[in-house]
């Protein structure tokens, strides 16, 4: 059988076709570790012409046994402690790199809440087997993914045959179209002492947005 990746096809990779950087300098240690670890898992991946890349497939099982640490993750409208917090910053940064090199996005969903590292509409949530980031290489030559986190900045650069872009560049813009402020609802609770208030759910500001690609 002919190998999927050949030296001849790799020789066509001659330069950068996109690059994107996000910051995680203020993250907790466990999250910082996960960002760098997840970046190392996708670093060096080659996506062949017409091939579809799956982030979850490249990352593998997100477990403590696999080497991931505990960090904050979004569960609906709450932030909870869970294995693999920070994984979505890597998928979101990769999503931006993929958009900037005009990959064909096959699967992507936004988070349930706004993220700190990107404007609304620019993120890509991943979770288990259900939520994945997938994109297809539309070019006649392979694309090589470089991903690196230095505990402060996460950079993802895609390399390919630069002529495949046909002299075009791509920029992504996000416009916040509305801000949805949370309402406070006070309810009596017979289990609490008089005059005592308990915050049941931290208020979260919601957003709607439009994202544009400029060619």
């Amino acid at each position: 059988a002919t190998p999927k990746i050949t030296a001849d096809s790799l020789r066509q990779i001659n330069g950068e076709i996109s690059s994107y950087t996000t910051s995680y300098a203020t993250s907790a240690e466990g999250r910082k570790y996960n960002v760098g670890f997840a970046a190392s898992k996708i670093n060096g991946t080659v996506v062949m012409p017409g091939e579809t890349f799956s982030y979850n497939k490249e990352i593998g099982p997100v477990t403590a046994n696999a080497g991931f640490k505990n960090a904050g993750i979004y569960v609906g409208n709450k932030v909870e402690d869970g294995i693999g917090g920070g994984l979505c910053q890597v998928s979101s940064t990769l999503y931006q790199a993929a958009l900037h090199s005009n990959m064909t996005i096959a699967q992507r969903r936004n988070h349930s809440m706004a993220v700190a590292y990107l404007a609304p509409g620019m993120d890509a949530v991943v979770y288990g087997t259900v939520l994945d980031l997938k994109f297809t290489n539309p070019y006649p030559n392979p694309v090589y993914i470089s991903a690196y986190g230095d505990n402060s900045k996460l950079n993802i650069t895609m390399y390919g045959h630069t002529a495949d872009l046909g002299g075009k560049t791509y920029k992504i813009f996000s416009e916040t179209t509305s801000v949805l402020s949370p309402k406070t609802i006070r309810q009596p609770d017979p289990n609490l002492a008089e005059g005592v208030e308990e915050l049941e759910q931290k208020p979260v500001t919601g957003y709607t947005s439009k994202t544009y690609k400029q060619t």
Side-chain angles (χ1 to χ4, degrees):
T2 314
K4 185 185 85 169
I5 301 169
T6 63
D8 277 351
S9 66
L10 289 183
R11 268 197 280 273
Q12 297 304 312
I13 297 173
N14 65 358
E16 184 184 302
I17 57 170
S18 70
S19 186
Y20 206 84
T21 301
T22 57
S23 171
Y24 64 108
T26 56
S27 291
E29 282 312 304
R31 191 178 185 282
K32 278 187 174 178
Y33 174 84
N34 287 339
V35 169
F37 187 51
S40 73
K41 294 246 184 196
I42 60 168
N43 182 51
T45 306
V46 175
V47 188
M48 294 302 282
E51 187 184 359
T52 299
F53 170 97
S54 157
Y55 180 80
N56 287 350
K57 194 175 151 209
E58 288 302 322
I59 293 293
V62 181
T63 60
N65 273 352
F68 289 96
K69 296 193 173 170
N70 250 333
I73 56 169
Y74 284 2
V75 179
N77 51 12
K78 292 189 175 78
V79 179
E80 293 182 5
D81 214 34
I83 297 286
L87 277 179
C88 292
Q89 180 157 356
V90 181
S91 59
S92 297
T93 307
L94 177 62
Y95 173 55
Q96 285 305 312
L99 287 176
H100 282 79
S101 55
N102 206 34
M103 296 287 116
T104 306
I105 307 301
Q107 188 183 340
R108 173 260 167 191
R109 265 276 298 276
N110 58 288
H111 283 79
S112 55
M113 297 186 284
V115 297
Y117 46 85
L118 279 167
M122 293 179 78
D123 58 308
V125 65
V126 290
Y127 185 76
T129 53
V130 196
L131 298 171
D132 196 358
L133 169 69
K134 291 181 181 175
F135 57 83
T136 306
N137 175 6
Y139 299 121
N141 292 291
V143 167
Y144 175 94
I145 299 169
S146 159
Y148 177 71
D150 65 1
N151 267 346
S152 168
K153 283 192 158 58
L154 166 69
N155 173 263
I156 297 181
T157 301
M158 298 177 106
Y159 296 92
H161 187 63
T162 52
D164 286 351
L165 290 175
K168 290 177 181 170
T169 56
Y170 302 92
K171 275 196 177 143
I172 311 301
F173 299 98
S174 169
E175 177 198 340
T176 299
T177 48
S178 74
V179 178
L180 312 162
S181 297
K183 290 186 189 80
T184 302
I185 299 167
R186 284 190 160 82
Q187 289 174 322
D189 186 340
N191 302 318
L192 289 180
E194 198 173 328
V196 174
E197 283 196 350
E198 196 177 77
L199 184 68
E200 197 163 276
Q201 191 188 313
K202 190 169 166 269
V204 175
T205 303
Y207 300 91
T208 61
S209 65
K210 281 182 181 168
T211 310
Y212 302 92
K213 182 198 278 180
Q214 182 188 63
T215 304

